[in-house]
Amino acid sequence: MTGYIGVPDRLGESALSDGRLLGWAEWGPPDGVPVLLCPGAATSRWLGFGAGVVEALGVRLVSVDRPGLGVSTPAPGRTFRDFAADVRQLCALRGLGRPAVVGNSQGAPFALACAAEKVASALAVVSGADEVAAPRFAPVLDAGLRGLVERTARDPAGAEEFFAGFTADAMWDMVMAGSPECDLAVYQEPAFAAGYRRALNEAFGQGAAGYARDTVLAMGRWPFALDAITVPVDIWYGAQDTGHSPDNGALLAARVPGARRHVVPEIGGALLWTHAESILTVLLGRAVDHEGRPR
């Protein structure tokens, strides 16, 4: 345990109705309040957050390998709605009810899909990969990202093939090269770095097709209606995060009814790990209020 991440308390795989397996990891008490994590790009169920915090708050944190990543069975051509349906099944199989959901980095649009499909009771988007294909962002994207967005729109199959060339080492190098010093202090802390590298290696254990499918979905236009989301949503960004959203979630928050935006100073994309207690405390309060139960 480092204060950022800890080794999972429980690991497993659940069989879905079509025979595919969905891998998961859990931290915290088995009878705790369920919080489901949609982890970031190319990381597996092994990379949790809030070591010590989930136990103190009585949270049963469940992280899920998306299809093709980690130990989850690939599902070529899968969609956001397919993922939400998988999570709905997992919740029934694991007794999670309608959990609060956290979406980090590239996991954010998958978490938003769960909210849109009414799988989640409340949602925290943390350092979320924004909808960079939204037309309003086109003038402000840097040339490299704009080229990838245009390529994905023009030739999604070709873009997916391109992203399938990525590796765990390439992902590590890209994150390290693009992160501010405040984030590197977290990512390069020895125990965190070891856990992060393990999660990357496991995520690419079946190859890069799962990551590639995730990236094409996230980088294209999102097919779900953000303005139809009815659960409480909190959107969190570090003020020094320049990689996940062109405007630190301002447009995203405006598109989700009632969403509350939090911009935290002196941190960037490592926000999930440095501010786990604040994020979970707010999320639990919002989920309780939404379900109509007293605090």
Side-chain angles (χ1 to χ4, degrees):
M1 181 183 298
T2 70
Y4 296 130
I5 59 173
V7 174
D9 295 321
R10 297 169 294 279
L11 287 169
E13 303 165 21
S14 294
L16 304 179
S17 58
D18 61 2
R20 288 182 297 115
L21 297 177
L22 210 61
W24 48 265
E26 293 190 2
W27 296 259
D31 60 349
V33 179
V35 173
L36 187 135
L37 171 64
C38 296
T43 55
S44 76
R45 58 185 177 165
W46 269 88
L47 192 64
F49 72 100
V53 174
V54 294
E55 293 82 2
L57 293 178
V59 166
R60 177 187 176 190
L61 179 66
V62 184
S63 182
V64 181
D65 283 341
R66 290 186 288 278
L69 280 77
V71 297
S72 289
T73 307
R78 60 185 165 87
T79 65
F80 285 117
R81 179 170 286 181
D82 292 335
F83 176 73
D86 286 351
V87 170
R88 192 186 303 277
Q89 282 197 59
L90 180 70
C91 289
L93 291 167
R94 298 291 301 155
L96 304 179
R98 193 175 171 212
V101 174
V102 176
N104 176 238
S105 187
Q106 194 162 274
F110 294 92
L112 284 160
C114 288
E117 292 294 321
K118 305 188 185 307
V119 177
S121 61
L123 174 62
V125 171
V126 185
S127 306
D130 211 334
E131 189 181 12
V132 289
R136 283 179 59 177
F137 285 147
V140 299
L141 298 181
D142 66 63
L145 179 55
R146 185 168 62 250
L148 288 174
V149 169
E150 292 172 351
R151 179 175 184 174
T152 300
R154 182 177 64 252
D155 179 17
E160 194 163 341
E161 184 177 352
F162 168 75
F163 292 125
F166 276 62
T167 65
D169 286 342
M171 288 299 301
W172 170 266
D173 291 343
M174 183 172 69
V175 171
M176 295 306 110
S179 297
E181 289 296 324
C182 56
D183 289 345
L184 293 177
V186 177
Y187 300 152
Q188 294 178 351
E189 190 275 329
F192 186 94
Y196 192 9
R197 292 302 297 258
R198 177 172 186 165
L200 288 170
N201 288 334
E202 186 178 58
F204 281 98
Q206 302 182 73
Y211 162 72
R213 185 61 185 166
D214 275 3
T215 304
V216 165
L217 289 173
M219 199 165 283
R221 292 307 310 269
W222 298 348
F224 44 85
L226 292 171
D227 61 1
I229 291 175
T230 58
V231 301
V233 176
D234 285 86
I235 296 173
W236 298 79
Y237 284 92
Q240 295 191 41
D241 184 352
T242 60
H244 287 108
S245 170
D247 61 1
N248 274 356
L251 177 59
L252 179 60
R255 296 171 67 194
V256 179
R260 303 191 306 197
R261 177 173 169 255
H262 313 259
V263 179
V264 181
E266 300 179 358
I267 194 61
L271 179 65
L272 180 67
W273 296 282
T274 60
H275 288 70
E277 184 172 6
S278 297
I279 291 164
L280 284 172
T281 299
V282 170
L283 178 64
L284 293 177
R286 296 272 267 171
V288 166
D289 288 348
H290 180 64
E291 294 295 328
R293 299 187 300 270
R295 295 189 181 209

